[in-house]
Amino acid sequence: MKNTKKDKLKTSRGITLIALVITIIVLLILAAVSIATLTGENGILTRATDAKEETRYATIKEEKDLWKLSKLTDEQTDSNTAESREEVINRLYDNGMITEEERDTLLAGEAITVADKTISFELTLVDMFELAQTAGCTGEDCSNTNHLHIGDYVDYKAPTTGSHKVGTDKSGVDYEQIYNVADNPLKWRVLGIDEETGGLKLIADSPAKQSEETGNGNPYFDIKGAEAYVYAPDEMDAIGALFKNDDAVKGRSVNIDDINQALGMTSDDQIIAKNFLEMQGAIQYKGTYGPFENQYTPESYLNGKTTTNVGGEVTGYAYMIGNDSLPPEYSAMTVNVENTRLRSMLFDNTEAQTGKAYWLASRGVSAFSGGDSALFGPGIVVSEDSMTVAGFSYYAFTSNGYERVLSGNAAVRPVVILKSEITKSDIPIIEDQADSWQS
């Protein structure tokens, strides 16, 4: 009996050990299989993570597509309901769709990788311009590919057909003037942000030329008398409108507001402080003139030369643009332009008749203290005697009926305003170009 019990005990212990070993081996195999199933290349957890990333990518892309659609809808309906690019990106971060690092990358205009796919909220040209402005970068020795600066050239393609005829009834001169887009292969530079639409303003690197068979043989825009004040600015805008393509919301002529914005002259106090016309004896900007009895406004002169009492507020003013050749006594009335590219683009080589002086599609009225009439005319950017002037320094009509011919003085310089969603994929940034103006 003792031997039998020992045998049974030995047999029982041997079976238990083998079973334990086998159980452990089986468990290890099952664990390995389970781990592989969960975490392997095609494992459950990996597939779940991939699915989560795919869902995250789809969400980000959907938000981007909806944002672009809402921007397009705003553009077409002339409304402003869409979120900004920054608002969409920050909302994605707040909702846990992107990390802080991804948010910063997207805000910088770069792409992120989600589910092995790249996605970006591509910077618009407006975004790129504002990034450069915020950084105080003027473009000199700039290596940031997300910057766009004042004076940068972009590959804007104006229409290849279209013309505008300026009749004698709108210019005041006794011949028609015709502008054809085909005669003006202009190049385009960044001017700034349009305050009305929020789009990027481009300015032609040089003024537009008349067709050679019209006018008085030069490429300038000739105007005279009351018509120069009443009609000419609208005709300038009509010429500028020829250069609008589908990427732009508007085409027009450059005007005094563009110059003010570029120079930072954003308040009446700044204008008054730099208005050199007062130094020449003119009534200060925002002052009053008249009334002068039995005289003409430009409108009443064109309406049968009907006399009236002429008086009102002075709207004319002008700046001298600073340079080293100006006498010291002019320094207080000078606007200095620190951005050399801006100065070059707007004010270099603007000599009347021999350079590229240009009209401003704006109207101004001035008068002199103790004078007996008011002076009416469009604005101009022009250099004479080494002095560059921007503003209402020329007049074409006086309230006592004098009509002045401004022939060969200045041309029309077009401006186009791009749609706010335009990116560099739509209109590439290009290297600085040679000036296209031929005097």
Side-chain angles (χ1 to χ4, degrees), residues 114-325:
V114 180
D116 294 327
K117 303 180 185 73
T118 59
I119 187 169
S120 69
F121 284 72
E122 185 179 3
L123 292 173
T124 65
L125 294 183
V126 170
D127 294 330
M128 296 173 67
F129 180 82
E130 291 178 343
L131 280 177
Q133 291 290 102
T134 300
C137 181
T138 62
E140 296 180 3
D141 301 321
C142 177
S143 59
N144 191 327
T145 58
N146 288 323
H147 279 188
L148 184 63
H149 319 85
I150 287 177
D152 282 354
Y153 281 83
V154 296
D155 195 18
Y156 176 79
K157 304 293 188 185
T160 56
T161 61
S163 65
H164 181 74
K165 179 173 68 175
V166 183
T168 60
D169 59 328
K170 297 298 175 65
S171 66
V173 298
D174 58 1
Y175 46 85
E176 294 179 341
Q177 301 172 71
I178 298 175
Y179 285 81
N180 289 309
V181 173
D183 297 331
N184 288 280
L186 301 177
K187 299 168 185 174
W188 299 87
R189 305 182 73 176
V190 174
L191 179 58
I193 302 297
D194 179 61
E195 294 179 344
E196 180 182 356
T197 65
L200 189 72
K201 287 191 294 189
L202 305 180
I203 186 169
D205 68 340
S206 289
K209 304 181 217 177
Q210 290 183 48
S211 298
E212 293 182 3
E213 69 274 10
T214 65
N216 62 0
N218 67 40
Y220 290 83
F221 182 59
D222 299 333
I223 51 179
K224 173 188 173 184
E227 290 89 347
Y229 179 85
V230 176
Y231 299 120
D234 293 335
E235 294 300 302
M236 297 176 202
D237 282 337
I239 294 167
L242 294 172
F243 296 88
K244 173 189 173 298
N245 71 10
D246 291 339
D247 289 327
V249 294
K250 191 173 186 179
R252 57 171 174 79
S253 167
V254 63
N255 57 44
I256 189 63
D257 292 331
D258 295 321
I259 300 299
N260 287 342
Q261 182 184 4
L263 296 178
M265 304 295 287
T266 56
S267 71
D268 288 343
D269 288 343
Q270 289 174 306
I271 292 172
I272 288 170
K274 296 296 184 180
N275 177 22
F276 88 92
L277 293 184
E278 190 212 15
M279 186 175 65
Q280 297 182 324
I283 298 172
Q284 179 58 276
Y285 172 64
K286 292 294 184 179
T288 58
Y289 65 92
F292 306 122
E293 297 181 356
N294 298 318
Q295 293 197 12
Y296 310 98
T297 65
E299 294 81 1
S300 74
Y301 188 84
L302 295 175
N303 186 25
K305 296 185 179 179
T306 305
T307 59
T308 184
N309 290 340
V310 180
E313 184 179 80
V314 171
T315 58
Y317 54 89
Y319 315 122
M320 288 179 289
I321 307 303
N323 60 48
D324 295 337
S325 63

Side-chain angles (χ1 to χ4, degrees), residues 356-385:
K356 48 183 181 177
Y358 53 96
W359 294 115
L360 301 173
S362 309
R363 300 172 178 87
V365 184
S366 58
F368 285 87
S369 301
D372 58 0
S373 63
L375 291 72
F376 301 82
I380 194 173
V381 172
V382 65
S383 296
E384 292 183 340
D385 300 325

Side-chain angles (χ1 to χ4, degrees), residues 328-377:
E329 60 267 25
Y330 288 160
S331 60
M333 295 292 179
T334 297
V335 178
N336 293 311
V337 187
E338 295 182 3
N339 187 325
T340 55
R341 300 182 80 208
L342 173 64
R343 178 185 169 79
S344 174
M345 180 175 71
L346 293 182
F347 305 115
D348 281 1
N349 303 315
T350 52
E351 291 82 9
Q353 298 183 321
T354 62
K356 48 183 181 177
Y358 53 96
W359 294 115
L360 301 173
S362 309
R363 300 172 178 87
V365 184
S366 58
F368 285 87
S369 301
D372 58 0
S373 63
L375 291 72
F376 301 82

Side-chain angles (χ1 to χ4, degrees), residues 44-100:
I44 294 172
L45 293 179
T46 302
R47 291 201 302 269
T49 300
D50 290 345
K52 182 179 178 181
E53 286 294 278
E54 289 286 353
T55 300
R56 191 164 75 95
Y57 172 80
T59 300
I60 298 170
K61 186 176 185 303
E62 182 181 26
E63 289 287 350
K64 175 184 176 181
D65 292 342
L66 288 173
W67 168 68
K68 293 181 74 172
L69 179 61
S70 62
K71 294 288 284 185
L72 179 60
T73 301
D74 274 1
E75 203 75 53
Q76 293 174 340
T77 60
D78 194 26
S79 55
N80 187 29
T81 60
E83 290 179 285
S84 69
R85 171 179 164 277
E86 290 78 9
E87 287 172 335
V88 176
I89 294 172
N90 282 318
R91 181 162 54 76
L92 287 169
Y93 170 71
D94 293 338
N95 293 340
M97 288 294 104
I98 56 176
T99 66
E100 183 177 1

